[in-house]
Amino acid sequence: MQFIINGILASASFVLAGLACAIIIRGIGFFNLALGAIFTLGGYFVFSLHVKLLLPLWIAVPIAISLCAVLGMLFEAMLFSPLRAKQAGPSVLLLVSIGLYIILYGLIELIYGPQVEMIVAGGPRSSLQILGIRITTIQLVTWAVAIAACVSLSCFLKLTKGGVALRAVATDSELAAMSGIELPRIRMYASAIGCSLAAICGFMIGMDSDLSPNMGMRILFGGLVVAIAGGVDSVFGIVLAAFLLGIAQHVGVWKIGSQWQDTIAFAILLIFLLFRPQGFFGKNFKKAIL
Amino acid sequence: MLGIKGLDTGYGKKQILYGIDLEAVTGKITAIIGPNGSGKSTLLKAAFGLIPVWQGKVFFQRADITNKNSKFLVQNGITFVPQGNRVFDEMSVLENLEIGGLYLSKKQFQIELEKLWQLFPELKKRQKQNSGKLSGGEKQQLSFGRALMPDPTLLLMDEPSLGLSPKLVGQMMNHLQKINREFGKTILIVEQKVRDVLEICDHVYSIKLGRIAYSGSPQNLKNDTDKLRQLFL
């Protein structure tokens, strides 16, 4: 039972990662792998500001999220948008994003070193016992943040002009341009939102466990699995897929060992791509442009 | 209203249009006809800033709008209806219209919406429906509706009849006349259904191999079948 509950609790970070991936894939039209480095940077920025500069968390976290959002906007404005203007297709942009990830990963390792760092000092985390099941405070906070992210994103996409424009670009970018929507601006906003969510996710994971320069790629692939299994344009589907991945991985740890966690995630990815590419509720991922 | 002077453009290094001169007069329907691949749609896209103008100028109400982006043009009274009943098919009818009226205030949006419901009452009934599930004719109406929402003075239309049945083409031409006469919109339309568009337009241009091959009254072309055939050979 504890494994299943742990799986459900762990799925909060998968929700955040899945939302970040979905908004990036749909909003900018390709899967920007540099998002992997943003997950890592979200955690390390808080580490620098809170642990090294001794700023309180309530100041450090918004600054870290803002820095990641600015990075996302810069990627779009200075790299991907000029490449699109030179007729670069999604596959070229994907390759460029791999290069960008490698550069950022190298810089993170150069600045922070390869060793593991912690935002919260080691030792036992504060926790609650409910019906004999141990739940840490940070797990509850992560769920609260994930729910807030789902509600805010849904409201933004449905109720605001910017959200409607973003959905229009995600549905048919050429038609959106013909309707007077500025594609570069909307893509910049999408990148900023995706990177903000990634920063929140990286920070929450850093609070729960620890930070390492390569942590982002693993989170990114978890997010990708959730985004595809949930359907890249369905917030509810993403939550459901996060439950599926979280529970499957934790039951897998219990039954066959922790070294199989990534294999389980990719097995779920393959099953969905083969048999239900539209995910639980969303759009066919093949049409959503990888 | 819209003037195009000596326009050259193309895709990549391939030139498609050579020194195009054209005028769309206020309150009139101006048609552009010509064989497939002659550059008709390219001309509209260049006028609307969707592809760069290499040489020449585009004027709207005497202001130079050459290579201005689509947001600027929409905000200044020009909208574009693309080929083939294109709608945002994962979004509702109302959301499609919201995209058309993205730069309007809430009050102005409601005013434009009411005008549109009067023109296309079917769309009002289906405003919450997913637009991907509309019929071909309804999608056409929605495509027009989205372009009408910002209350433009000039509509650029790129083969709106594409993919419509002959009956629906007739209905669409009626809508065009209504938009022109009752709503006072100037229309510049690229159309392959030559006989139909000649019935409703006030002036016609024909493009052949990227150059203007004819400019004049539609009546003359309707009466001169040989000339018409020659323009399409």
Side-chain angles (χ1 to χ4, degrees):
Chain A
M1 190 64 180
Q2 177 77 49
F3 282 100
I4 292 171
I5 299 294
N6 281 349
I8 292 169
L9 292 171
S11 45
S13 53
F14 287 136
V15 171
L16 290 168
L19 290 176
C21 288
I23 207 98
I24 288 289
I25 292 168
R26 295 285 272 140
I28 69 171
F30 75 100
F31 187 42
N32 178 4
L33 283 162
L35 191 67
I38 300 293
F39 284 111
T40 315
L41 280 171
Y44 274 103
F45 281 155
V46 175
F47 172 75
S48 292
L49 294 163
H50 178 58
V51 179
K52 298 286 181 190
L53 297 178
L54 303 174
L55 290 175
L57 271 178
W58 66 270
I59 294 176
V61 173
I63 293 175
I65 294 169
S66 306
L67 286 172
C68 288
V70 170
L71 274 178
M73 291 170 95
L74 288 176
F75 292 164
E76 263 305 306
M78 300 181 75
L79 193 60
F80 299 123
S81 193
L83 283 168
R84 280 193 199 92
K86 291 181 179 173
Q87 314 299 322
S91 45
V92 172
L93 299 176
L94 179 72
L95 284 174
V96 171
S97 77
I98 294 172
L100 185 59
Y101 171 78
I102 292 167
I103 291 168
L104 290 170
Y105 171 77
L107 286 172
I108 293 167
E109 199 168 68
L110 188 74
I111 294 166
Y112 294 99
Q115 74 281 5
V116 165
E117 300 284 5
M118 297 182 101
I119 298 174
V120 181
R125 304 279 201 267
S126 64
S127 63
L128 310 166
Q129 287 276 344
I130 301 170
L131 300 172
I133 294 161
R134 183 177 164 267
I135 301 170
T136 64
T137 312
I138 193 67
Q139 285 174 326
L140 289 176
V141 173
T142 308
W143 256 113
V145 171
I147 290 166
C150 287
V151 173
S152 325
L153 194 62
S154 297
C155 290
F156 168 73
L157 291 173
K158 281 273 177 193
L159 304 177
T160 68
K161 283 187 175 183
V164 172
L166 202 158
R167 284 169 58 217
V169 172
T171 305
D172 186 338
S173 59
E174 197 186 21
L175 184 57
M178 289 171 180
S179 307
I181 293 173
E182 285 182 294
L183 295 188
R185 185 183 291 257
I186 295 297
R187 285 179 176 141
M188 226 160 68
Y189 291 157
S191 187
I193 295 168
C195 288
S196 304
L197 288 165
I200 296 168
C201 180
F203 152 67
M204 296 310 302
I205 289 174
M207 290 287 283
D208 194 30
S209 51
D210 45 40
L211 301 171
S212 65
N214 60 359
M215 65 185 265
M217 199 41 96
R218 204 166 176 208
I219 306 171
L220 180 75
F221 283 120
L224 179 65
V225 173
V226 168
I228 293 170
V232 282
D233 51 3
S234 164
V235 172
F236 182 60
I238 283 170
V239 175
L240 211 60
F243 278 135
L244 174 72
L245 181 62
I247 293 170
Q249 281 195 336
H250 280 76
V251 171
V253 168
W254 173 40
K255 289 285 182 190
I256 53 177
S258 60
Q259 71 274 28
W260 293 95
Q261 273 192 330
D262 291 341
T263 312
I264 290 166
F266 280 96
I268 292 172
L269 176 71
L270 286 178
I271 289 166
F272 271 89
L273 281 178
L274 281 172
F275 301 109
R276 199 171 167 81
Q278 75 274 32
F280 284 122
F281 301 108
K283 184 185 166 87
N284 190 332
F285 187 68
K286 286 171 190 165
K287 287 185 197 166
I289 312 167
L290 180 61
Chain B
M1 174 166 279
L2 183 84
I4 296 174
K5 299 279 178 205
L7 183 139
D8 289 356
T9 190
Y11 296 100
K13 288 180 180 170
K14 189 172 165 48
Q15 186 163 355
I16 305 289
L17 295 174
Y18 301 84
I20 298 286
D21 291 325
L22 180 146
E23 190 180 9
V25 178
T26 307
K28 306 286 184 191
I29 300 178
T30 305
I32 305 171
I33 59 170
N36 279 332
S38 57
K40 306 180 299 291
S41 296
T42 306
L43 176 58
L44 276 200
K45 285 179 182 167
F48 197 63
L50 296 171
I51 59 167
V53 172
W54 294 0
Q55 208 171 325
K57 296 277 181 199
V58 182
F59 297 96
F60 177 62
Q61 291 169 336
R62 294 186 185 164
D64 185 355
I65 57 159
T66 314
N67 290 328
K68 294 284 186 193
N69 70 21
S70 59
K71 181 185 174 184
F72 175 88
L73 298 177
V74 169
Q75 287 180 318
N76 284 278
I78 307 178
T79 56
F80 189 92
V81 178
Q83 271 181 356
N85 314 330
R86 275 171 77 175
V87 296
F88 294 100
D89 55 10
E90 293 168 21
M91 302 172 84
S92 72
V93 168
L94 190 59
E95 284 173 336
N96 268 266
L97 298 174
E98 279 173 16
I99 291 160
L102 209 57
Y103 304 114
L104 298 177
S105 65
K106 262 188 180 174
K107 191 179 168 191
Q108 191 61 32
F109 179 82
Q110 280 307 322
I111 293 168
E112 295 306 321
L113 196 61
E114 283 309 317
K115 280 200 261 179
L116 199 79
W117 294 150
Q118 281 173 18
L119 180 65
F120 301 125
E122 271 306 306
L123 290 183
K124 186 176 185 179
K125 288 181 203 159
R126 299 179 188 278
Q127 57 179 299
K128 288 187 179 163
Q129 193 175 317
N130 191 314
S131 62
K133 291 176 181 163
L134 297 177
S135 68
E138 288 164 344
K139 279 185 182 174
Q140 183 62 77
Q141 291 178 14
L142 182 56
S143 184
F144 283 4
R146 196 183 53 239
L148 284 169
M149 278 308 289
D151 193 19
T153 44
L154 173 67
L155 283 152
L156 305 179
M157 298 187 163
D158 189 5
E159 284 194 53
S161 72
L162 194 77
L164 294 182
S165 66
K167 188 183 162 197
L168 288 175
V169 171
Q171 270 180 23
M172 186 208 78
M173 294 293 169
N174 289 340
H175 281 134
L176 284 186
Q177 280 188 308
K178 207 170 176 184
I179 290 167
N180 172 244
R181 287 174 191 167
E182 293 178 23
F183 286 68
K185 309 295 181 195
T186 305
I187 296 174
L188 177 61
I189 179 172
V190 163
E191 191 46 73
Q192 281 285 10
K193 298 279 190 300
V194 178
R195 293 279 173 202
D196 293 290
V197 80
L198 288 180
E199 290 298 327
I200 63 156
C201 71
D202 302 290
H203 191 92
V204 62
Y205 289 90
S206 176
I207 297 183
K208 197 172 177 182
L209 298 171
R211 291 183 168 84
I212 298 286
Y214 176 87
S215 167
S217 142
Q219 203 57 43
N220 291 348
L221 271 190
K222 276 195 284 184
N223 298 335
D224 190 348
T225 318
D226 286 343
K227 177 74 178 168
L228 196 55
R229 196 175 296 129
Q230 196 188 342
L231 290 172
F232 278 82
L233 280 177

